Amino acid sequence: MKDHDKIRALFPVCSKKVYLEAGLSNGGCTIAKEAMDLYFEENFNGILEGKRQWNEAADEVRALSARLLGGVCPDHIAITKNTVEGLNIISQSFPFEKGDNVVINTDEHISNVMPWLALKEKGVEVRIAKSENHRLSPDIIEKYIDKNTKIVAISHVQAPTGYKCDIKALAEICHKNGAFLVVDAIQSLGLIPLDAKNWGIDAVASGAHKNLLSVTGVGLLYIAPELMKLLKPQYAGSSGVRSFDRESWTNTLKDELNARKFELSNLNYPGIYTLRAALKFILEVGVENIAAHVAVLSQKMNDGLREIGYHVATPANPDERAGINSVVVPDLAHMKAWFGERNIAISKMDLGFVRLSLGIFSNEEDVDTALKYARQYYEEYVK
């Protein structure tokens, strides 16, 4: 990637350790810090003009996010706190009826499980598609879909295994059966292309503290018009899409197809400042360039782990993975701690995997170091 050393320098954690936890957090980006400083400077120095700068920043985030999602309408994007809030907005606002079902799967992070399991209390059947050899291809998911399926929820890239689903193909299957496709994109958005418009995705939820290079407490929710027509907000607030009449004490949505109806008054504006700056940076670098850079490193990591002898849960097929490579080992906590003692940060996942995840800041030396110690660990504790 062009000027990668300069990009890497934006992430101080990389000078302190081999950071292979991009799937957990971006580790802290100076772009976000500088944007946060700007927010406080405007507030503390009297530069703030009412809420003008805040609202302009939020509008820019919606516009920039719309570009990143393949050219969707900015009005169809709500600013949220995190991925889970976005998923809950969908699950709790949808008009389910008796006999309806939703489809999730065995390999999901708990964040994309709880919002759907909660629907059981409303009488909605929750179907759990079982992965096959750590894969969740569209044809596997299709087996669980029928005429009563209203929503299929899946991660673009699975957090535990790193499996990347063919979202476009799955969207076609969902729509053929009259179901909506809801995508958890926190492990992919900002790292690899995601074209919500042309792939036919009905909703995309993502927090911003991972590959979107922002901070915790701010996220995005895109909702396509056909789905948004059906959703009724479960909370009411003084967002900009409402008009209020004090004579009749009634309020009216100005536009049923504006996702701001799901926002509740003041947002996380410090987070919005950081996300605005990060999105500008990602779009300037080009998500295709980021994806290509990470793909080379991921290939080397995946090949290397397999050559050592590990049971690698992440597919060998490059079309079915992104920046995550996960392995199965006897003692997850021990491996994480052992690597940590050698100044290498990796993650243990609750489904039985240890995850080595790469981001925009990763380089070949990171992979070489990880594989060196992965071989030593395998010889001593796994073989």
Side-chain angles (χ1 to χ4, degrees), residues 73-91:
C73 175
D75 287 346
H76 300 158
I77 293 175
I79 297 174
T80 62
K81 294 193 296 292
N82 49 45
T83 311
V84 179
E85 183 182 35
L87 296 172
N88 271 284
I89 286 172
I90 303 296
S91 66

Side-chain angles (χ1 to χ4, degrees), residues 140-158:
I140 293 173
I141 303 295
E142 186 174 18
K143 300 173 186 176
Y144 296 83
I145 300 173
D146 63 18
K147 62 182 179 61
N148 294 319
T149 303
K150 300 303 177 183
I151 289 176
V152 174
I154 194 169
S155 293
H156 187 193
V157 174
Q158 291 294 337

Side-chain angles (χ1 to χ4, degrees), residues 110-283:
I110 193 171
S111 295
N112 199 18
V113 171
M114 299 307 294
W116 309 108
L117 287 183
L119 295 173
K120 288 184 176 183
E121 296 182 5
K122 296 184 176 182
V124 178
E125 180 190 0
V126 181
R127 297 181 174 181
I128 316 295
K130 296 181 179 180
S131 64
E132 299 177 7
N133 296 319
H134 311 301
R135 298 176 67 256
L136 285 159
S137 57
D139 60 297
I140 293 173
I141 303 295
E142 186 174 18
K143 300 173 186 176
Y144 296 83
I145 300 173
D146 63 18
K147 62 182 179 61
N148 294 319
T149 303
K150 300 303 177 183
I151 289 176
V152 174
I154 194 169
S155 293
H156 187 193
V157 174
Q158 291 294 337
T161 66
Y163 173 78
K164 181 179 75 173
C165 182
D166 184 343
I167 294 296
K168 184 177 181 180
L170 182 57
E172 292 173 355
I173 290 171
C174 289
H175 297 161
K176 179 181 66 176
N177 288 278
F180 293 102
L181 178 61
V182 177
V183 175
D184 175 343
I186 196 165
Q187 294 294 349
S188 63
L189 196 58
L191 184 73
I192 58 176
L194 194 162
D195 193 334
K197 184 176 182 179
N198 292 315
W199 293 358
I201 305 174
D202 298 297
V204 177
S206 179
H209 63 289
K210 299 186 183 183
N211 298 301
L212 288 179
L213 310 183
S214 181
V215 296
T216 55
V218 65
L220 306 169
L221 174 64
Y222 160 74
I223 311 172
E226 290 305 310
L227 176 57
M228 197 168 348
K229 289 177 184 177
L230 300 177
L231 302 181
K232 298 189 181 301
Q234 298 303 295
Y235 294 92
S238 57
S239 75
V241 299
R242 290 183 179 274
S243 59
F244 178 62
D245 183 353
R246 286 188 177 271
E247 295 295 324
S248 61
W249 288 92
T250 58
N251 60 328
T252 306
L253 287 176
K254 294 178 182 178
D255 184 356
E256 290 284 353
L257 294 182
N258 192 314
R260 288 188 63 191
K261 67 183 181 181
F262 298 106
E263 298 175 358
L264 299 179
S265 190
N266 285 325
L267 303 168
N268 175 7
Y269 292 108
I272 286 170
Y273 271 53
T274 69
L275 182 52
R276 174 179 60 177
L279 286 168
K280 288 179 179 179
F281 173 72
I282 290 168
L283 290 168

Side-chain angles (χ1 to χ4, degrees), residues 344-364:
I344 304 171
I346 59 177
S347 303
K348 64 182 182 72
M349 306 304 295
D350 61 1
L351 290 181
F353 309 103
V354 167
R355 184 179 69 186
L356 300 85
S357 48
L358 305 160
I360 185 175
F361 45 77
S362 303
N363 65 12
E364 192 166 356

